[in-house]
Amino acid sequence: YLLGDSYDKLGQHDKSIETYTELMDYTDNEVPAAMVESLMGVSYLSLKKYSEAKKHLTLSIKNYKGELSIKTPEYIINAYYSLGDINYIRKDCNAAIENFKFFIEKFSEDLRCDLSKYRLNLCFMNQKNEKKSMDLLSKLKSESKNGYFKLIADEDINHQNWLNNNKRLLGSLK
């Protein structure tokens, strides 16, 4: 799998997929199928082949036999995160919300949690659910360990408050 990973890092995603496909014939306890499927899914995601990526990431999760815990392998954590990412990119907010909520609940210590929370907020905004969005932004602002997400959450809260306070003025400009 290291050869496929090297191709991926070089941006040669088609070659990495070929390598992972060949490796599927040799999966066992040492190189689990779940890992190969996850790596293939990420390669397809890099190529913006979302249907194929989703198929392989879903297979990765299905093939994983372990518990979801602090000891969950990175490739499984990444598979869950990437599914949310794909649904977010494809503007399937309902599926993305489900994926991001699950990711946040199960992998709360992962560095991608803040990004998942922010994208979850954007999904709520797309659904015109301002209350859930503002609640999530407030939580992100107060709980994030990442200064960038604290700042962006604060900016979004201020922007939304400004919009709410100036709705009448903005409506008369139309």
Side-chain angles (χ1 to χ4, degrees), residues 100-108 113:
F100 288 137
K101 281 182 173 180
F102 183 85
F103 184 86
I104 292 163
E105 176 190 329
K106 295 294 181 185
F107 309 113
S108 61
C113 243

Side-chain angles (χ1 to χ4, degrees), residues 36-111:
V36 178
E37 292 288 0
S38 178
L39 294 169
M40 241 191 312
V42 172
S43 294
Y44 278 114
L45 180 58
S46 297
L47 291 170
K48 297 182 181 177
K49 293 183 177 181
Y50 302 123
S51 294
E52 283 296 310
K54 192 171 184 175
K55 178 179 103 179
H56 289 284
L57 293 166
T58 302
L59 281 170
S60 172
I61 291 167
K62 183 179 174 185
N63 287 332
Y64 178 64
K65 303 299 181 211
E67 289 185 40
L68 299 179
S69 69
I70 194 78
K71 296 179 182 179
T72 301
E74 170 59 26
Y75 60 88
I76 292 299
I77 295 171
N78 197 43
Y80 278 105
Y81 174 78
S82 296
L83 280 175
D85 208 22
I86 290 168
N87 288 318
Y88 173 77
I89 290 166
R90 294 173 104 182
K91 300 194 183 329
D92 183 350
C93 281
N94 289 330
I97 287 169
E98 186 178 311
N99 294 136
F100 288 137
K101 281 182 173 180
F102 183 85
F103 184 86
I104 292 163
E105 176 190 329
K106 295 294 181 185
F107 309 113
S108 61
E109 296 302 312
D110 191 273
L111 295 174

Side-chain angles (χ1 to χ4, degrees), residues 114 117-118 133-155 157:
D114 284 344
K117 289 175 186 175
Y118 188 71
S133 172
M134 292 295 274
D135 289 347
L136 197 54
L137 285 171
S138 295
K139 193 173 183 180
L140 187 58
K141 180 182 171 184
S142 67
E143 295 177 3
S144 177
K145 295 175 183 131
N146 182 313
Y148 173 77
F149 284 105
K150 285 180 177 275
L151 179 64
I152 202 153
D154 187 50
E155 287 178 6
I157 290 168

Side-chain angles (χ1 to χ4, degrees), residues 3 10 12 26-27 55 75 84 99 140 157-158 164 167:
L3 179 61
L10 293 170
Q12 297 178 15
Y26 303 101
T27 58
K55 178 179 103 179
Y75 60 88
N99 294 136
L140 187 58
I157 290 168
N158 290 334
N164 288 339
K167 278 183 180 173

Side-chain angles (χ1 to χ4, degrees), residues 7 13-23 40 44:
Y7 282 134
H13 306 296
D14 288 325
K15 283 188 177 183
S16 69
I17 291 168
E18 284 177 35
T19 304
Y20 296 139
T21 302
E22 290 174 22
L23 186 58
M40 241 191 312
Y44 278 114

